[in-house]
Amino acid sequence: MTSQSLPKLSLAFFTFSCLLSLSVAARATPNFKVRAVSLGGWLVTEGWIKPSLFDGIINKDLLDGTQVQFLSVKQGKYVSAESGGGTIIVANRTSASGWETFKLWRVSETEFQFRVFNREFVGLQNGTTDVVAVSTTPGESETFQIVRKSDDMNRVRIMASNGFFLQAKTQDLVTADFESNNTTWGNDDPSVFVMSIVGTMQGEFQVTNGYGPLKAPTVMREHWATFITEPDFQFISSSGLNAVRIPVGWWIASDPTPPPPFVGGSLEVLDNAFTWAEKYNVKIVIDLHAAPGSQNGYEHSGSRDGSQEWGQSDESIQQTVAVIDFLASRYASRPGLLAVELINEPLAPGVTLDSLTKYYQAGYDTVRKYTTSAYVVMSNRLGPMDPQELFPLASSLQGVVVDVHYYNLFSSIFYSLNVQQNIDYVYNNRTSELNYVTTANGPLIFVGEWTAEWRVSGATKEDYQRFAAAQLEVFGRASFGWSYWTLKNVRDHWCIEWMIQNGYIAL
C-alpha cells in the first residue's frame, strides 16, 4: 500500500461508512426504547372501557350489531331464516343457532332492520304480507318496530312497515298481517315473541348511531374533552412512559363532516394531543384502529354489525391509503410524531396475506412521501398465521416495525393457569415468541398491546406485581419497545394509571 493510495481508500471508506450509517439509521433501534401506553376508548369508542358513555341511549341494549333470537310463544319454536337467508322466514326450530340469530341495524330508538346469517335482510315480499329474507340492501319494507312489554322487556311484538304485526300463524308461515293493537301478551297470541339477546357490540358506530344525529355530537365532544386531558400527558411523562399509541378511526380523515353516524370533532382533539405530547416530551404513534369496512369485525374497528369486509376490494384498500395520506401529511412535520401504524389487528383468514401486503406496501409508500424519519408500523394478523409472514416485505423497507400483541387472555390455554404458571408462560413462551420474530436483518418488533390482567381469580397485589414485572422485563427486550393497554379503564388492572398510582407497576 503506497502513500498515494491512502486518500482514495479513506474517501472510499468514508463514503461506505456514510451509506452504511444512512441505511442502518433508517432500520436501527430508536435511540430510546418505546415505553408507551395506548389511549384506548378515547377517539375510538370501546364500551367496556367506559360503559357510562352509553347510559343515555334509549333501548341501549338494542344497538347496531346486537344479536337477537325470537321464540314464538304460540308455536313454542324459534324464528329462523330458512337456509340462512334467501327465502322465507319460519318459526319451527326447537333450538337456536346461527340461522335463528338476527343482527340488528338500528334505524331509530324503536325501529330496526334484521340481518340474517347469509347477510340478507328480513322484509316484506313485493308488497305482500309474506315475510322473507331476500334483500341485500335494506329499505322501508325491511324496517320494523320492536314494541316491548312494559314490565317484561324481553317480551315483544314486531310491527312491519305496512302497519301490521308479525305473527307465527303456523310453524312454517310467518306473516305481517296481525291487525290488533290490543294484546294480553299471553302465550296464545301469535304476534308475541320472547326476545333473547345473545350478543352485543359497543363501539363507535353503536354509540353515535345509538344517540342519533341530534344528541351524539354533544355526547362525543364532551367525552373527548374530558376522558383524556393535558394533565394525563403530564402524568404519562412523569411516570416514566415516553410515548402514547393513539387509536383513531378512518372517519377522522373526513372531519369535520364524517359520514353518518360518525361525529366530527375528533381531528381537533388529535391536534391537541400533539400539542400536549410535545410540551411534555412524549412521542406519538398514530394507530389506525378502525379501517373502512372493518378489518376484524370487532367493535373497536368501527364495525356496524360484526361483519369483516376490509380488504375484500381494492376500493377499501385505496380508501384506507387515503386516510394514511391524510394523517401523514398533517402530522409529518410535528416533532411529536414517532410512527404511523397502518392498521390494527387485521384478522385472518378474512384478511388475506396478499391483500394485507398490498396495502402495507401502499401505506408505507404514502407515509414516505411526507417523512423519512417516522417509523411505519405493520400489525401482525390475528388468527392463524406465521408471525414472520410480514418479514419478506418489512425487511426490504426502511424504518419498519412489526406490531405483535401478547395477552394471557382470549385463549383456552390460559383458562386453568395459576399465578406462577402465567408468570412462567411470560418468561418462557413469550421469550421464545419474541426471539422468533427478532432477527438480525428483520424489522423492529413492537409489543403494541399487553396488560397485567389475566384469568386468575383471587390473585393478590403481589401476584399482580410479579406478573407485571415479568412482562416489563420480557417485553422490554423488544427491539422497538412496548405499549400497555390502556391508560384509563373502569377495570383497574387494565388501567395503567391506576396500576402505577396504586403501586402495582413500577417503571
Side-chain angles (χ1 to χ4, degrees):
M1 183 181 294
T2 64
S3 59
Q4 288 84 355
S5 66
L6 287 174
K8 291 182 180 180
L9 181 61
S10 298
L11 179 61
F13 180 78
F14 175 78
T15 302
F16 172 78
S17 298
C18 289
L19 292 173
L20 180 62
S21 296
L22 288 171
S23 175
V24 171
R27 298 174 55 106
T29 304
N31 57 10
F32 67 97
K33 283 288 187 78
V34 173
R35 289 150 47 111
V37 60
S38 291
L39 305 185
W42 189 25
L43 301 186
V44 177
T45 301
E46 296 189 43
W48 68 283
I49 294 177
K50 185 184 176 183
S52 62
L53 189 60
F54 291 77
D55 284 351
I57 300 176
I58 297 174
N59 280 334
K60 70 175 184 178
D61 59 339
L62 299 181
L63 300 175
D64 290 277
T66 299
Q67 298 177 44
V68 296
Q69 296 166 346
F70 296 105
L71 176 70
S72 167
V73 297
K74 173 77 170 179
Q75 303 299 333
K77 298 292 179 65
Y78 285 96
V79 176
S80 172
E82 193 74 287
S83 302
T87 181
I88 62 173
I89 299 296
V90 296
N92 61 11
R93 298 300 203 277
T94 56
S95 61
S97 186
W99 289 4
E100 295 76 38
T101 302
F102 303 85
K103 291 182 178 180
L104 299 184
W105 279 27
R106 184 177 172 116
V107 178
S108 70
E109 295 171 354
T110 59
E111 294 176 302
F112 304 88
Q113 294 157 345
F114 303 112
R115 201 176 196 187
V116 303
F117 185 82
N118 290 342
R119 298 190 177 185
E120 295 96 347
F121 291 86
V122 177
L124 303 185
Q125 186 172 41
N126 300 327
T128 70
T129 61
D130 297 334
V131 183
V132 295
V134 297
S135 176
T136 57
T137 304
E140 182 180 352
S141 66
E142 287 76 38
T143 301
F144 298 85
Q145 182 177 353
I146 295 179
V147 180
R148 309 179 87 164
K149 189 172 185 283
S150 59
D151 60 350
D152 183 356
M153 300 295 277
N154 293 325
R155 210 165 178 89
V156 303
R157 303 175 80 212
I158 304 169
M159 181 182 287
S161 57
N162 62 3
F164 296 109
F165 289 97
L166 267 58
Q167 63 169 324
K169 280 185 174 178
T170 69
Q171 292 187 10
D172 298 317
L173 184 61
V174 176
T175 57
D177 55 359
F178 194 90
E179 298 186 26
S180 176
N181 283 317
N182 299 317
T183 179
T184 62
W185 296 95
N187 289 342
D188 59 342
D189 189 331
S191 71
V192 175
F193 302 87
V194 174
M195 178 179 66
S196 299
I197 297 173
V198 296
T200 61
M201 296 184 69
Q202 286 193 331
E204 190 80 13
F205 200 105
Q206 286 71 35
V207 71
T208 52
N209 202 39
Y211 279 108
L214 298 180
K215 295 181 181 178
T218 300
V219 171
M220 297 311 297
R221 287 166 187 163
E222 192 274 338
H223 166 64
W224 296 332
T226 57
F227 189 60
I228 304 291
T229 61
E230 180 177 344
D232 293 312
F233 281 80
Q234 185 177 22
F235 169 80
I236 289 165
S237 179
S238 63
S239 299
L241 297 163
N242 56 26
V244 290
R245 179 173 176 259
I246 304 182
V248 300
W250 61 269
W251 52 89
I252 198 172
S254 301
D255 207 88
T257 55
F262 301 112
V263 172
S266 60
L267 184 61
E268 180 182 356
V269 180
L270 185 57
D271 288 343
N272 291 339
F274 269 88
T275 299
W276 299 333
E278 289 159 1
K279 179 177 180 179
Y280 297 104
N281 197 29
V282 172
K283 297 297 184 181
I284 289 180
V285 177
I286 302 176
D287 158 39
L288 185 61
H289 218 68
S294 176
Q295 72 276 18
N296 54 36
Y298 300 141
E299 56 192 17
H300 64 238
S301 68
S303 176
R304 181 170 194 171
D305 67 1
S307 299
Q308 179 189 7
E309 298 172 355
W310 183 89
Q312 296 178 9
S313 67
D314 287 342
E315 181 182 1
S316 66
I317 292 177
Q318 292 165 2
Q319 186 179 359
T320 314
V321 171
V323 175
I324 296 299
D325 189 285
F326 174 85
L327 293 169
S329 63
R330 187 176 186 88
Y331 297 109
S333 62
R334 297 296 295 258
L337 180 64
L338 175 66
V340 176
E341 183 156 4
L342 299 179
I343 201 169
N344 173 70
E345 294 185 339
L347 178 63
V351 173
T352 67
L353 181 58
D354 285 345
S355 64
L356 188 62
T357 300
K358 178 180 180 179
Y359 167 64
Y360 278 162
Q361 179 68 66
Y364 172 87
D365 292 341
T366 299
V367 175
R368 287 289 170 257
K369 287 196 305 183
Y370 303 102
T371 171
T372 58
S373 59
Y375 291 90
V376 178
V377 183
M378 301 178 177
S379 177
N380 260 353
R381 292 190 296 169
L382 299 179
M385 59 88 195
D386 179 353
Q388 285 191 1
E389 66 180 13
L390 298 177
F391 279 32
L393 171 66
S395 300
S396 68
L397 304 172
Q398 302 297 311
V400 169
V401 180
V402 168
D403 181 5
V404 296
H405 295 174
Y406 294 146
Y407 290 103
N408 279 30
L409 297 158
F410 313 127
S411 172
S412 59
I413 64 175
F414 300 113
Y415 290 1
S416 60
L417 298 190
N418 62 28
V419 170
Q420 191 57 49
Q421 289 169 332
N422 270 281
I423 293 172
D424 290 343
Y425 191 95
V426 171
Y427 280 122
N428 298 324
N429 298 65
R430 297 307 188 196
T431 295
S432 296
E433 292 171 40
L434 264 182
N435 288 342
Y436 179 71
V437 293
T438 304
T439 59
N441 297 313
L444 297 169
I445 300 300
F446 181 39
V447 183
E449 289 186 18
W450 68 277
T451 188
E453 187 58 284
W454 48 10
R455 296 184 64 93
V456 178
S457 59
T460 66
K461 179 176 180 178
E462 182 186 4
D463 293 334
Y464 277 101
Q465 288 172 326
R466 292 173 57 220
F467 183 52
Q471 293 182 91
L472 284 169
E473 179 181 343
V474 173
F475 301 157
R477 301 171 195 154
S479 52
F480 190 73
W482 52 258
S483 180
Y484 193 92
W485 186 273
T486 60
L487 177 66
K488 295 187 177 183
N489 200 309
V490 295
R491 305 183 190 191
D492 291 339
H493 304 115
W494 288 89
C495 172
I496 200 172
E497 178 184 61
W498 186 91
M499 296 288 279
I500 291 173
Q501 290 174 340
N502 290 275
Y504 282 71
I505 286 180
L507 300 177

